[in-house]
Amino acid sequence: MGNVLPKRCFQPKDNSKGDGDESDPQHKLAGGNVQLVTTEEEWKLKMEEAKKDGKQVVANFSASWCGPCQEIAQLYAELSEKYPSLMFLTVDVDQLTDFSTALDIKATPTFFFFKPVQGEDEPVINKDKTAKLVGANKGELKKKITEIVDTPTPSEK
């Protein structure tokens, strides 16, 4: 049967966004223990919190208009409840366009796995990033999260 490509969305040409009402799919992107990040200040605070708590971060860069993002959101929320030792964030690429562009987000969903570096004053994205997954590949997402949870940190070795 060959390899199956993950489902992913690309930015629409008209830059469509949700209208912000209760039926807006953005509300479906953050369930369980997933926290929605819509500003760079929130991002910095969450990364500082993760560093302070010794948690690794799983960041889902999504868009409310993206079908595959909506499809994987339920699994992402379930994983956030199953693995409370990790911090699960969803970043709205439409609200953090410059930030997402700086991270080279070209398709949604894109998942980054971060391990905030102790001793740094502020989290450094490229230094802290441990892995990346592009697309709504449920099996691969589960696998990467399981690997993170099962891999001891240097202080645990």
Side-chain angles (χ1 to χ4, degrees):
M1 234 187 160
N3 290 337
V4 177
L5 293 174
K7 295 178 184 177
R8 53 186 155 189
C9 286
F10 297 91
Q11 185 82 17
K13 290 185 173 102
D14 67 357
N15 200 17
S16 297
K17 296 180 184 177
D19 59 10
D21 68 14
E22 288 299 316
S23 64
D24 187 351
Q26 178 179 4
H27 296 283
K28 297 178 184 174
L29 297 179
N33 293 323
V34 177
Q35 302 169 57
L36 184 63
V37 175
T38 58
T39 67
E40 285 190 52
E41 183 60 30
E42 284 178 319
W43 173 264
K44 288 177 184 176
L45 290 171
K46 293 299 174 191
M47 291 297 279
E48 284 300 320
E49 180 184 328
K51 183 171 75 171
K52 183 183 84 168
D53 295 344
K55 289 187 173 187
Q56 294 187 57
V57 177
V58 182
N60 174 8
F61 288 80
S62 291
S64 60
W65 45 261
C66 169
C69 296
Q70 294 171 29
E71 285 179 29
I72 203 161
Q74 181 177 354
L75 171 66
Y76 191 63
E78 289 169 7
L79 291 169
S80 76
E81 292 175 342
K82 184 175 181 179
Y83 300 107
S85 62
L86 303 175
M87 179 181 284
F88 288 78
L89 304 176
T90 292
V91 178
D92 186 318
V93 296
D94 287 328
Q95 292 186 1
L96 283 170
T97 305
D98 292 340
F99 183 69
S100 300
T101 300
L103 288 173
D104 202 29
I105 305 295
K106 294 184 176 164
T108 54
T110 294
F111 297 90
F112 280 131
F113 304 85
F114 296 96
K115 185 178 211 171
V117 176
Q118 297 298 323
E120 294 285 337
D121 290 336
E122 190 172 303
V124 180
I125 299 296
N126 291 330
K127 186 187 286 187
D128 297 347
K129 185 174 60 172
T130 59
K132 176 180 178 180
L133 172 64
V134 178
N137 186 325
K138 293 179 180 182
E140 211 39 49
L141 180 61
K142 287 179 187 176
K143 179 181 170 187
K144 286 203 178 288
I145 289 173
T146 302
E147 287 172 1
I148 290 171
V149 172
D150 291 344
T151 302
T153 61
S155 63
E156 296 173 334
K157 290 181 182 179

